[in-house]
Amino acid sequence: MVKTINLYKSFNGKWAVQNLNLHIKKGEFYCLLGPNGAGKTTTLKLLTTLLRPSRGKIYIKGLDIEKYPYESKKIIGFIPDTPFIYENLTAQEFLTFIGNIFKIDKKELAKKIEYYFDIFGLITYRDCLLKEYSHGMRQKIVYISNFLHEPEVLFIDEPLVGLDPQAIHLIKHLLLEKVKSGLTILMCTHILSIAEELSHRVGILHAGELIAEGTLEELRRNIDKTSLEEIFLTLTKNLRK
Amino acid sequence: MKTIIYFKIRALKNLISKYFLSSPLRSILIVCFYVLAMGVIYLSIWGGFQFISSLGELSFIIIKRLIFIIFFITFFMIALSFAILYYTSSFRSKETEFLITLPYSYWELSFYKFTESALLASWLPLGGLILFIIVYTQINNLSILIPLLSIFYLIPFILIASSLGYIFCILVLRFLDLRKVFAIIVLSVIVVLYFFPPLKEKNMNIFYIISEEIVFFKISQLWFMPFSWPGWVIVDLENGKFINSFIFLINLWTLSILSLNFIHSYGGNVFKSLFLKHSVPKHKRQYRQGFLDKLFTLKIFPLHMGSFFLKDVKLFVREPVLWLQFLIFFGLMFFYFINIRRFSYNLLGDIWKNLIAFLNTFSILCITSALSIRFIFPQWSLEGKSYWILKLSPLNIKNIYFEKFIFSLIAFLPVSLTLIYIANKMLKVTSNVFFLTIWIVFISTCSLVSFSLGWGAYFADFKREYYLKAVESLGGFINIIINFSYIVVTVFTFTFLNHLIITRNVLFFKKYIFYILGGWGILSILLSTLITYIGIRKLKNKEY
């Protein structure tokens, strides 16, 4: 579903991502881990066309995103770590705007918005400007905006920043449910317990390079450590030395 | 406070060196462009003065008045720019939230924000003023000391204008509702314009017309108003009235020091109360679906385009910083129509009629250009950090560009065409000139909108916290130069052609005027398409 071939990205001559080869299957929950500055966000931005690769190819559902950007954008969703959205629109207006861009049927859109407002507990704030929302509430709106057009691949950067425990529980539940029904997720996070709990496979990125990849079991076997935290620390520590 | 300023300068230095290192050739080209642009502005002012000089004895009076008008316009431009910049950088800023947590007093922060806003609001007008004074000195064979010492009368002038902007900003934020202020000002302008009496006695003497009928000239010279003081410093110096000149200079410095002292003494408390007032979350206002939603969901446009229109309209209406800038427009309109109402155009000779009709077109295009730079140029930067939403949408960037273009055109064409229509009606121009100027304004408005949108796309900065600073950036400067050059070339060409038709009855031009107009239209479209292409290409390649 998501495939990168020898992907490189440099900023002012410095490599942020180097020789990245990812292969994520349909319905897979893939988690990308790495210390600060490892290139996780850059990778997500490359996969979502927000950045252009310096070298290499990216395929989403077999489509080369350089050649078919609009077709591939129809099937992807992106949840950034900081929810920058139009602050002077109300939540209802913003979601209607997104729905119209993705050409969702009017009635269906209204139903979906109503449903997600309800489950995220935002009904009473639907007609308030987004600038009056807290960080967590905005993050919820970004989640809803991505669920509206039912993407086939979802890219998430730090999924739970600023969310309350109830929302965290709800989102985890929703994501797992959607993965079961065929959604592919590539998520970047620092919270190792989340990765441990949700992901099918884990990739560890360091200085732009993928230094380890596999299921938790495979990683445990190869590194000879029991928890993901220990695996992560061992791998990144060795490289730092 | 020195530390903040030092590190701000460091940050700017880092930015420039990073920019230079990333592409030295581009940086050199930009510097060359700056130099070239200065040359173009200098030559334009020079050309304008030369033309006025060719009008004979009248030129002396017009040139003298022009210097006062330039200071008058600049004064209010700086004041309004300052008010907007001070408001955004002080009370809508993440930087202020950070600085408040540092061990700085409120008066230090207030003073720092004052300095920053004054610098940002005045650097561009300051450059223009200096060039203007240099040309003025050369044309009048004055001492080189006048431009060399200009900084002594320009600095207090800028400080006074900024202080006026500061007081306006503080009063509005402290006591008034922005929407009400806007509505009151607009209504007052309309009422005054409507009831302003036209002159009963008409006079054919051009000297009389210039001194009595053009209100702009009269007001800009009022000796007790600070905006006229730098003009008086220069004119009195020129006339050998050194004591008078010195008194005006003293006035400038006294008032500016007094203003600074006032801001220094009371600014801290005001800053604190306003910051606390604006940082506390307000009662959450509910916005239900209204007329606009219904209008844009009608099937006039494709659904996604209607949604973009709706989004842009709502973002504009709900951002006071944006629509408050319309005050510039209403201010200009006020003086513009008052002058036209009192102007005895029909009593003038053919040559003067031609000149005034095209000067009028020039003014309207300048207003359109000023508005396009203020409102259209920052449209892409206005998307700001939310640009990722557009970038990820399954729409071609061309469609989004096209939507913004149509949106801007729908907003601008009625304004410019109404202005030229009303002005032409008031001046009672001949039907030939009437249609000619309407056509020129129509094509020029389309071109100016394209230029601003194209350059806005090329120089869009999505990481900038305050999109309005985009206008004061390099891109904004380039946009000003291109728009101004286009207007000067266009208006000069047609004024000259019409002048030839009137004075020498050159049949060649009379016969081919439609072809010339068509050719100019095609050239304008080509230029607009080129800039649009450059803008779209840059947007496509722009990374988030």
Side-chain angles (χ1 to χ4, degrees):
Chain A
M1 197 64 168
V2 179
K3 196 174 170 185
T4 66
I5 302 169
N6 303 333
L7 192 64
Y8 284 82
K9 178 68 189 173
S10 71
F11 294 110
N12 298 323
K14 284 182 187 164
W15 293 111
V17 172
Q18 300 183 64
N19 197 23
L20 185 66
N21 290 289
L22 290 174
H23 194 148
I24 305 168
K25 287 176 229 147
K26 185 176 163 64
E28 191 174 12
F29 201 127
Y30 188 95
C31 207
L32 207 51
L33 303 175
N36 292 332
K40 302 186 296 294
T41 302
T42 306
T43 305
L44 284 195
K45 285 188 173 178
L46 286 167
L47 293 169
T48 50
T49 70
L50 292 174
L51 290 176
R52 286 155 66 94
S54 305
R55 254 188 268 162
K57 289 274 176 203
I58 301 168
Y59 295 93
I60 307 277
K61 207 183 172 185
L63 292 168
D64 182 344
I65 65 164
E66 282 273 315
K67 282 185 188 161
Y68 304 98
Y70 310 112
E71 289 78 1
S72 51
K73 280 181 203 175
K74 280 180 190 164
I75 54 168
I76 64 169
F78 176 47
I79 296 162
D81 56 343
T82 317
F84 290 113
I85 39 184
Y86 298 112
E87 295 198 325
N88 279 323
L89 292 183
T90 66
Q92 172 77 38
E93 287 167 354
F94 176 69
L95 294 174
T96 311
F97 170 67
I98 296 290
N100 288 342
I101 286 181
F102 281 92
K103 295 175 184 163
I104 303 170
D105 175 68
K106 224 174 168 183
K107 282 180 186 166
E108 194 193 338
L109 179 65
K111 258 189 205 170
K112 279 183 176 175
I113 292 176
E114 195 71 28
Y115 169 72
Y116 284 114
F117 268 144
D118 187 29
I119 65 165
F120 277 99
L122 293 171
I123 285 269
T124 44
Y125 306 104
R126 63 189 303 165
D127 293 320
C128 295
L129 294 185
L130 289 167
K131 68 178 169 191
E132 290 162 352
Y133 275 42
S134 68
H135 180 93
M137 285 161 84
R138 286 182 204 199
Q139 194 71 334
K140 287 178 188 174
I141 293 294
V142 176
Y143 270 101
I144 299 176
S145 71
N146 275 283
F147 291 152
L148 286 179
H149 69 280
E150 293 171 3
E152 292 181 45
V153 187
L154 187 60
F155 298 102
I156 313 175
D157 196 0
E158 290 303 339
L160 308 172
V161 180
L163 293 171
D164 58 53
Q166 277 174 320
I168 291 175
H169 178 76
L170 176 69
I171 282 173
K172 280 200 282 192
H173 173 75
L174 271 173
L175 292 179
L176 285 175
E177 212 170 68
K178 285 187 184 286
V179 165
K180 271 182 201 162
S181 58
L183 174 72
T184 308
I185 295 181
L186 171 53
M187 180 173 88
C188 292
T189 184
H190 284 122
I191 310 169
L192 300 177
S193 59
I194 297 286
E196 223 163 1
E197 191 184 338
L198 300 176
S199 60
H200 297 139
R201 272 199 308 149
V202 173
I204 297 177
L205 210 58
H206 189 271
E209 280 186 279
L210 193 66
I211 53 169
E213 190 186 34
T215 62
L216 270 176
E217 274 309 308
E218 286 167 351
L219 289 176
R220 274 180 196 135
R221 235 181 291 135
N222 293 344
I223 317 289
D224 198 24
K225 297 278 176 191
T226 47
S227 73
L228 183 57
E229 189 178 11
E230 283 175 315
I231 295 168
F232 179 78
L233 290 174
T234 313
L235 279 169
T236 50
K237 204 174 175 183
N238 287 344
L239 278 164
R240 243 178 251 152
K241 278 177 188 171
Chain B
M1 196 46 52
K2 274 182 198 163
T3 323
I4 302 180
I5 295 167
Y6 172 73
F7 281 100
K8 272 266 175 175
I9 295 168
R10 274 287 291 268
L12 188 69
K13 213 176 121 191
N14 290 345
L15 190 77
I16 294 168
S17 61
K18 191 189 160 196
Y19 197 78
F20 185 80
L21 288 173
S22 67
S23 175
L25 184 68
R26 188 177 55 187
S27 312
I28 292 165
L29 280 175
I30 285 170
V31 173
C32 291
F33 178 84
Y34 261 117
V35 175
L36 196 72
M38 286 294 170
V40 169
I41 297 174
Y42 176 83
L43 288 176
S44 304
I45 302 172
W46 177 269
F49 271 115
Q50 287 293 341
F51 175 74
I52 295 169
S53 300
S54 70
L55 296 172
E57 50 182 329
L58 190 65
S59 63
F60 181 72
I61 297 176
I62 297 178
I63 289 174
K64 285 276 174 300
R65 310 266 159 133
L66 262 182
I67 195 151
F68 287 100
I69 285 188
I70 290 292
F71 279 114
F72 177 80
I73 295 172
T74 316
F75 186 81
F76 287 102
M77 269 177 64
I78 293 176
L80 195 64
S81 286
F82 177 92
I84 290 163
L85 285 165
Y86 186 77
Y87 168 64
T88 46
S89 69
S90 298
F91 309 116
R92 299 275 302 268
S93 142
K94 295 262 187 296
E95 190 201 14
T96 312
E97 284 174 24
F98 166 67
L99 292 176
I100 284 279
T101 62
L102 300 178
Y104 285 115
S105 63
Y106 280 103
W107 73 257
E108 277 178 302
L109 292 178
S110 156
F111 211 70
Y112 161 63
K113 286 291 172 190
F114 178 90
T115 317
E116 188 191 30
S117 309
L119 276 173
L120 281 170
S122 62
W123 76 269
L124 209 54
L126 185 69
L129 276 177
I130 291 175
L131 279 179
F132 186 88
I133 293 166
I134 292 173
V135 179
Y136 181 84
T137 313
Q138 286 174 329
I139 291 282
N140 290 303
N141 296 321
L142 302 177
S143 160
I144 191 76
L145 280 175
I146 291 180
L148 279 180
L149 299 176
S150 62
I151 220 72
F152 287 103
Y153 48 86
L154 289 181
I155 285 178
F157 172 75
I158 286 165
L159 288 174
I160 297 168
S162 301
S163 304
L164 180 76
Y166 174 84
I167 292 166
F168 175 70
C169 175
I170 297 299
L171 284 178
V172 169
L173 291 178
R174 189 110 173 87
F175 303 109
L176 302 162
D177 178 84
L178 281 177
R179 283 166 215 276
K180 282 180 191 157
V181 170
F182 186 75
I184 290 167
I185 292 178
V186 173
L187 275 174
S188 318
V189 167
I190 293 168
V191 168
V192 172
L193 273 179
Y194 190 78
F195 290 105
F196 196 80
L199 275 184
K200 280 175 190 163
E201 279 181 43
K202 296 281 181 186
N203 196 317
M204 280 180 75
N205 188 334
I206 192 73
F207 289 94
Y208 175 82
I209 290 173
I210 285 174
S211 57
E212 289 304 316
E213 295 193 4
I214 301 182
V215 184
F216 219 172
F217 282 167
K218 280 179 92 175
I219 295 177
S220 62
Q221 276 185 299
L222 294 174
W223 63 269
F224 53 89
M225 299 306 277
F227 49 72
S228 72
W229 294 347
W232 286 117
V233 170
I234 296 170
V235 170
D236 282 341
L237 204 63
E238 192 184 333
N239 295 337
K241 298 175 183 171
F242 299 113
I243 295 175
N244 286 10
S245 176
F246 187 68
I247 288 172
F248 280 112
L249 189 65
I250 294 286
N251 278 351
L252 277 168
W253 277 105
T254 314
L255 187 61
S256 61
I257 291 168
L258 202 70
S259 312
L260 286 184
N261 189 36
F262 171 77
I263 294 161
H264 192 265
S265 310
Y266 299 102
N269 286 337
V270 175
F271 189 86
K272 184 183 175 184
S273 64
L274 285 177
F275 178 78
L276 294 175
K277 186 181 167 189
H278 286 267
S279 61
V280 174
K282 288 175 190 162
H283 168 69
K284 286 186 170 60
R285 187 180 157 187
Q286 303 269 327
Y287 291 82
R288 303 253 178 242
Q289 280 213 333
F291 167 73
L292 281 176
D293 297 81
K294 282 174 194 160
L295 180 74
F296 285 104
T297 44
L298 290 175
K299 286 178 181 168
I300 308 168
F301 305 104
L303 184 63
H304 66 271
M305 195 180 260
S307 300
F308 273 109
F309 278 149
L310 190 61
K311 169 187 82 73
D312 285 342
V313 170
K314 282 185 173 171
L315 291 182
F316 181 82
V317 172
R318 289 173 190 169
E319 183 55 271
V321 181
L322 273 178
W323 48 257
L324 266 179
Q325 293 182 93
F326 259 114
L327 288 178
I328 301 173
F329 173 67
F330 284 106
L332 288 171
M333 282 301 92
F334 179 75
F335 284 102
Y336 180 70
F337 281 116
I338 277 185
N339 287 329
I340 286 188
R341 262 179 88 104
R342 294 167 70 95
F343 202 69
S344 311
Y345 178 79
N346 53 333
L347 298 176
L348 296 172
D350 282 345
I351 293 172
W352 274 101
K353 273 185 180 171
N354 174 49
L355 191 66
I356 301 291
F358 281 97
L359 266 178
N360 177 46
T361 311
F362 178 75
S363 318
I364 287 168
L365 290 181
C366 281
I367 291 168
T368 312
S369 168
L371 290 176
S372 76
I373 291 161
R374 274 276 151 196
F375 295 108
I376 300 177
F377 180 79
Q379 278 226 7
W380 291 103
S381 297
L382 180 68
E383 296 289 341
K385 290 181 177 171
S386 306
Y387 182 66
W388 68 274
I389 299 166
L390 296 190
K391 186 99 178 154
L392 276 179
S393 70
L395 293 172
N396 193 326
I397 202 78
K398 270 186 209 162
N399 291 347
I400 304 171
Y401 193 99
F402 186 62
E403 172 275 322
K404 284 197 186 289
F405 179 70
I406 298 285
F407 176 65
S408 310
L409 221 50
I410 289 173
F412 271 65
L413 270 179
V415 174
S416 59
L417 289 177
T418 310
L419 285 180
I420 190 74
Y421 178 82
I422 295 173
N424 278 349
K425 281 277 170 196
M426 282 171 133
L427 288 172
K428 297 186 184 86
V429 296
T430 59
S431 58
N432 282 348
V433 174
F434 192 94
F435 289 112
L436 181 66
T437 50
I438 293 257
W439 174 248
I440 290 172
V441 168
F442 174 75
I443 293 289
S444 300
T445 305
C446 297
S447 305
L448 294 172
V449 165
S450 308
F451 298 165
S452 295
L453 198 63
W455 288 124
Y458 189 86
F459 289 100
D461 184 353
F462 303 115
K463 288 179 181 163
R464 195 182 281 267
E465 194 185 347
Y466 317 113
Y467 44 85
L468 282 173
K469 278 188 187 169
V471 180
E472 272 87 21
S473 65
L474 168 74
F477 180 67
I478 291 176
N479 194 194
I480 292 172
I481 299 297
I482 302 256
N483 281 11
F484 185 69
S485 309
Y486 174 82
I487 294 171
V488 168
V489 170
T490 299
V491 176
F492 177 78
T493 309
F494 286 104
T495 313
F496 187 64
L497 285 180
N498 215 37
H499 182 78
L500 287 180
I501 291 170
I502 292 165
T503 52
R504 296 179 199 171
N505 203 14
V506 183
L507 284 173
F508 174 79
F509 293 126
K510 218 172 186 175
K511 204 174 168 185
Y512 291 106
I513 189 78
F514 286 107
Y515 294 107
I516 294 168
L517 276 170
W520 166 76
I522 290 167
L523 270 179
S524 298
I525 292 167
L526 285 177
L527 193 59
S528 306
T529 313
L530 177 72
I531 294 177
T532 303
Y533 171 76
I534 292 171
I536 293 177
R537 211 176 139 202
K538 186 75 180 177
L539 267 185
K540 271 188 178 168
N541 295 332
K542 217 155 219 163
E543 297 187 323
Y544 179 77

